[in-house]
PDB file of all heavy atoms in Angstrom:
ATOM      1  N   PHE A  20     -14.440 -25.456   2.921  1.00 94.00           N
ATOM      2  CA  PHE A  20     -15.578 -25.331   3.838  1.00 94.00           C
ATOM      3  C   PHE A  20     -16.577 -24.277   3.372  1.00 94.00           C
ATOM      4  O   PHE A  20     -17.767 -24.354   3.688  1.00 94.00           O
ATOM      5  CB  PHE A  20     -15.110 -24.941   5.239  1.00 94.00           C
ATOM      6  CG  PHE A  20     -14.586 -26.077   6.076  1.00 94.00           C
ATOM      7  CD1 PHE A  20     -13.596 -25.847   7.023  1.00 94.00           C
ATOM      8  CD2 PHE A  20     -15.073 -27.363   5.943  1.00 94.00           C
ATOM      9  CE1 PHE A  20     -13.102 -26.878   7.808  1.00 94.00           C
ATOM     10  CE2 PHE A  20     -14.589 -28.395   6.721  1.00 94.00           C
ATOM     11  CZ  PHE A  20     -13.601 -28.155   7.659  1.00 94.00           C
ATOM     12  N   ILE A  24     -20.660 -24.058   4.116  1.00 97.00           N
ATOM     13  CA  ILE A  24     -21.196 -23.084   5.068  1.00 97.00           C
ATOM     14  C   ILE A  24     -22.324 -22.292   4.412  1.00 97.00           C
ATOM     15  O   ILE A  24     -23.388 -22.094   4.996  1.00 97.00           O
ATOM     16  CB  ILE A  24     -20.083 -22.153   5.585  1.00 97.00           C
ATOM     17  CG1 ILE A  24     -19.049 -22.936   6.396  1.00 97.00           C
ATOM     18  CG2 ILE A  24     -20.668 -21.036   6.440  1.00 97.00           C
ATOM     19  CD1 ILE A  24     -17.813 -22.147   6.770  1.00 97.00           C
ATOM     20  N   TYR A  33     -28.402 -23.045  10.709  1.00 95.00           N
ATOM     21  CA  TYR A  33     -27.388 -22.172  11.311  1.00 95.00           C
ATOM     22  C   TYR A  33     -26.445 -22.926  12.243  1.00 95.00           C
ATOM     23  O   TYR A  33     -25.286 -22.559  12.373  1.00 95.00           O
ATOM     24  CB  TYR A  33     -28.065 -21.017  12.048  1.00 95.00           C
ATOM     25  CG  TYR A  33     -28.818 -20.127  11.095  1.00 95.00           C
ATOM     26  CD1 TYR A  33     -30.203 -20.167  11.033  1.00 95.00           C
ATOM     27  CD2 TYR A  33     -28.140 -19.273  10.232  1.00 95.00           C
ATOM     28  CE1 TYR A  33     -30.893 -19.362  10.145  1.00 95.00           C
ATOM     29  CE2 TYR A  33     -28.822 -18.475   9.338  1.00 95.00           C
ATOM     30  CZ  TYR A  33     -30.196 -18.516   9.303  1.00 95.00           C
ATOM     31  OH  TYR A  33     -30.870 -17.728   8.412  1.00 95.00           O
ATOM     32  N   LYS A  34     -26.937 -23.963  12.861  1.00 95.00           N
ATOM     33  CA  LYS A  34     -26.083 -24.747  13.760  1.00 95.00           C
ATOM     34  C   LYS A  34     -24.938 -25.396  12.982  1.00 95.00           C
ATOM     35  O   LYS A  34     -23.785 -25.335  13.390  1.00 95.00           O
ATOM     36  CB  LYS A  34     -26.912 -25.795  14.489  1.00 95.00           C
ATOM     37  CG  LYS A  34     -26.169 -26.523  15.567  1.00 95.00           C
ATOM     38  CD  LYS A  34     -27.110 -27.445  16.323  1.00 95.00           C
ATOM     39  CE  LYS A  34     -26.468 -28.006  17.553  1.00 95.00           C
ATOM     40  NZ  LYS A  34     -27.405 -28.833  18.322  1.00 95.00           N
ATOM     41  N   TRP A  35     -25.275 -25.995  11.830  1.00 96.00           N
ATOM     42  CA  TRP A  35     -24.230 -26.621  11.017  1.00 96.00           C
ATOM     43  C   TRP A  35     -23.293 -25.575  10.414  1.00 96.00           C
ATOM     44  O   TRP A  35     -22.088 -25.803  10.312  1.00 96.00           O
ATOM     45  CB  TRP A  35     -24.846 -27.494   9.923  1.00 96.00           C
ATOM     46  CG  TRP A  35     -25.326 -28.788  10.483  1.00 96.00           C
ATOM     47  CD1 TRP A  35     -26.617 -29.175  10.670  1.00 96.00           C
ATOM     48  CD2 TRP A  35     -24.513 -29.860  10.970  1.00 96.00           C
ATOM     49  NE1 TRP A  35     -26.659 -30.418  11.245  1.00 96.00           N
ATOM     50  CE2 TRP A  35     -25.378 -30.871  11.435  1.00 96.00           C
ATOM     51  CE3 TRP A  35     -23.143 -30.064  11.066  1.00 96.00           C
ATOM     52  CZ2 TRP A  35     -24.918 -32.051  11.982  1.00 96.00           C
ATOM     53  CZ3 TRP A  35     -22.683 -31.258  11.612  1.00 96.00           C
ATOM     54  CH2 TRP A  35     -23.571 -32.228  12.061  1.00 96.00           C
ATOM     55  N   ALA A  36     -23.853 -24.443  10.029  1.00 96.00           N
ATOM     56  CA  ALA A  36     -23.014 -23.364   9.496  1.00 96.00           C
ATOM     57  C   ALA A  36     -22.038 -22.893  10.562  1.00 96.00           C
ATOM     58  O   ALA A  36     -20.852 -22.666  10.278  1.00 96.00           O
ATOM     59  CB  ALA A  36     -23.884 -22.205   9.009  1.00 96.00           C
ATOM     60  N   LEU A  37     -22.513 -22.768  11.805  1.00 96.00           N
ATOM     61  CA  LEU A  37     -21.642 -22.346  12.903  1.00 96.00           C
ATOM     62  C   LEU A  37     -20.561 -23.386  13.174  1.00 96.00           C
ATOM     63  O   LEU A  37     -19.395 -23.034  13.371  1.00 96.00           O
ATOM     64  CB  LEU A  37     -22.466 -22.079  14.160  1.00 96.00           C
ATOM     65  CG  LEU A  37     -21.679 -21.647  15.396  1.00 96.00           C
ATOM     66  CD1 LEU A  37     -20.932 -20.344  15.154  1.00 96.00           C
ATOM     67  CD2 LEU A  37     -22.605 -21.507  16.599  1.00 96.00           C
ATOM     68  N   ILE A  38     -20.942 -24.651  13.178  1.00 95.00           N
ATOM     69  CA  ILE A  38     -19.960 -25.724  13.417  1.00 95.00           C
ATOM     70  C   ILE A  38     -18.863 -25.682  12.348  1.00 95.00           C
ATOM     71  O   ILE A  38     -17.668 -25.737  12.663  1.00 95.00           O
ATOM     72  CB  ILE A  38     -20.654 -27.108  13.457  1.00 95.00           C
ATOM     73  CG1 ILE A  38     -21.495 -27.223  14.732  1.00 95.00           C
ATOM     74  CG2 ILE A  38     -19.639 -28.243  13.355  1.00 95.00           C
ATOM     75  CD1 ILE A  38     -22.444 -28.414  14.746  1.00 95.00           C
ATOM     76  N   LEU A  39     -19.254 -25.561  11.085  1.00 96.00           N
ATOM     77  CA  LEU A  39     -18.263 -25.509  10.010  1.00 96.00           C
ATOM     78  C   LEU A  39     -17.415 -24.246  10.090  1.00 96.00           C
ATOM     79  O   LEU A  39     -16.208 -24.277   9.826  1.00 96.00           O
ATOM     80  CB  LEU A  39     -18.956 -25.604   8.649  1.00 96.00           C
ATOM     81  CG  LEU A  39     -19.571 -26.949   8.316  1.00 96.00           C
ATOM     82  CD1 LEU A  39     -20.384 -26.860   7.028  1.00 96.00           C
ATOM     83  CD2 LEU A  39     -18.497 -28.022   8.210  1.00 96.00           C
ATOM     84  N   PHE A  40     -18.029 -23.128  10.476  1.00 96.00           N
ATOM     85  CA  PHE A  40     -17.293 -21.873  10.626  1.00 96.00           C
ATOM     86  C   PHE A  40     -16.252 -21.987  11.742  1.00 96.00           C
ATOM     87  O   PHE A  40     -15.112 -21.549  11.589  1.00 96.00           O
ATOM     88  CB  PHE A  40     -18.269 -20.725  10.906  1.00 96.00           C
ATOM     89  CG  PHE A  40     -17.603 -19.387  11.006  1.00 96.00           C
ATOM     90  CD1 PHE A  40     -17.109 -18.751   9.866  1.00 96.00           C
ATOM     91  CD2 PHE A  40     -17.465 -18.754  12.227  1.00 96.00           C
ATOM     92  CE1 PHE A  40     -16.490 -17.520   9.963  1.00 96.00           C
ATOM     93  CE2 PHE A  40     -16.846 -17.525  12.330  1.00 96.00           C
ATOM     94  CZ  PHE A  40     -16.357 -16.901  11.195  1.00 96.00           C
ATOM     95  N   VAL A  41     -16.631 -22.602  12.846  1.00 95.00           N
ATOM     96  CA  VAL A  41     -15.687 -22.801  13.951  1.00 95.00           C
ATOM     97  C   VAL A  41     -14.560 -23.735  13.527  1.00 95.00           C
ATOM     98  O   VAL A  41     -13.381 -23.488  13.834  1.00 95.00           O
ATOM     99  CB  VAL A  41     -16.415 -23.318  15.213  1.00 95.00           C
ATOM    100  CG1 VAL A  41     -15.446 -23.808  16.269  1.00 95.00           C
ATOM    101  CG2 VAL A  41     -17.313 -22.228  15.782  1.00 95.00           C
ATOM    102  N   LEU A  42     -14.888 -24.800  12.805  1.00 93.00           N
ATOM    103  CA  LEU A  42     -13.846 -25.699  12.297  1.00 93.00           C
ATOM    104  C   LEU A  42     -12.891 -24.963  11.362  1.00 93.00           C
ATOM    105  O   LEU A  42     -11.673 -25.174  11.410  1.00 93.00           O
ATOM    106  CB  LEU A  42     -14.469 -26.893  11.574  1.00 93.00           C
ATOM    107  CG  LEU A  42     -15.104 -27.961  12.459  1.00 93.00           C
ATOM    108  CD1 LEU A  42     -15.835 -28.996  11.611  1.00 93.00           C
ATOM    109  CD2 LEU A  42     -14.063 -28.622  13.330  1.00 93.00           C
ATOM    110  N   ALA A  43     -13.440 -24.100  10.522  1.00 92.00           N
ATOM    111  CA  ALA A  43     -12.594 -23.303   9.632  1.00 92.00           C
ATOM    112  C   ALA A  43     -11.690 -22.388  10.445  1.00 92.00           C
ATOM    113  O   ALA A  43     -10.513 -22.221  10.120  1.00 92.00           O
ATOM    114  CB  ALA A  43     -13.463 -22.491   8.670  1.00 92.00           C
ATOM    115  N   GLY A  44     -12.210 -21.828  11.520  1.00 89.00           N
ATOM    116  CA  GLY A  44     -11.401 -20.972  12.392  1.00 89.00           C
ATOM    117  C   GLY A  44     -10.276 -21.745  13.059  1.00 89.00           C
ATOM    118  O   GLY A  44      -9.145 -21.266  13.144  1.00 89.00           O
ATOM    119  N   PHE A  45     -10.588 -22.942  13.540  1.00 90.00           N
ATOM    120  CA  PHE A  45      -9.542 -23.772  14.136  1.00 90.00           C
ATOM    121  C   PHE A  45      -8.473 -24.132  13.109  1.00 90.00           C
ATOM    122  O   PHE A  45      -7.288 -24.144  13.413  1.00 90.00           O
ATOM    123  CB  PHE A  45     -10.123 -25.041  14.760  1.00 90.00           C
ATOM    124  CG  PHE A  45     -10.749 -24.826  16.104  1.00 90.00           C
ATOM    125  CD1 PHE A  45     -12.000 -25.349  16.375  1.00 90.00           C
ATOM    126  CD2 PHE A  45     -10.107 -24.109  17.093  1.00 90.00           C
ATOM    127  CE1 PHE A  45     -12.602 -25.153  17.610  1.00 90.00           C
ATOM    128  CE2 PHE A  45     -10.697 -23.907  18.336  1.00 90.00           C
ATOM    129  CZ  PHE A  45     -11.953 -24.426  18.592  1.00 90.00           C
ATOM    130  N   LEU A 141     -24.247 -15.888  14.034  1.00 94.00           N
ATOM    131  CA  LEU A 141     -24.693 -17.273  13.861  1.00 94.00           C
ATOM    132  C   LEU A 141     -25.214 -17.856  15.169  1.00 94.00           C
ATOM    133  O   LEU A 141     -26.243 -18.543  15.184  1.00 94.00           O
ATOM    134  CB  LEU A 141     -23.554 -18.133  13.312  1.00 94.00           C
ATOM    135  CG  LEU A 141     -23.105 -17.833  11.891  1.00 94.00           C
ATOM    136  CD1 LEU A 141     -21.903 -18.680  11.518  1.00 94.00           C
ATOM    137  CD2 LEU A 141     -24.238 -18.041  10.910  1.00 94.00           C
ATOM    138  N   ILE A 145     -29.134 -19.376  16.414  1.00 90.00           N
ATOM    139  CA  ILE A 145     -29.410 -20.664  17.055  1.00 90.00           C
ATOM    140  C   ILE A 145     -30.069 -20.456  18.417  1.00 90.00           C
ATOM    141  O   ILE A 145     -31.040 -21.120  18.758  1.00 90.00           O
ATOM    142  CB  ILE A 145     -28.099 -21.472  17.235  1.00 90.00           C
ATOM    143  CG1 ILE A 145     -27.482 -21.758  15.879  1.00 90.00           C
ATOM    144  CG2 ILE A 145     -28.352 -22.752  18.010  1.00 90.00           C
ATOM    145  CD1 ILE A 145     -26.053 -22.228  15.956  1.00 90.00           C
TER     146      ILE A 145
END
Side-chain angles (χ1 to χ4, degrees):
F20 279 149
I24 295 171
Y33 296 105
K34 188 174 190 177
W35 283 108
L37 179 61
I38 290 168
L39 290 172
F40 183 73
V41 168
L42 285 173
F45 281 133
L141 292 175
I145 299 166

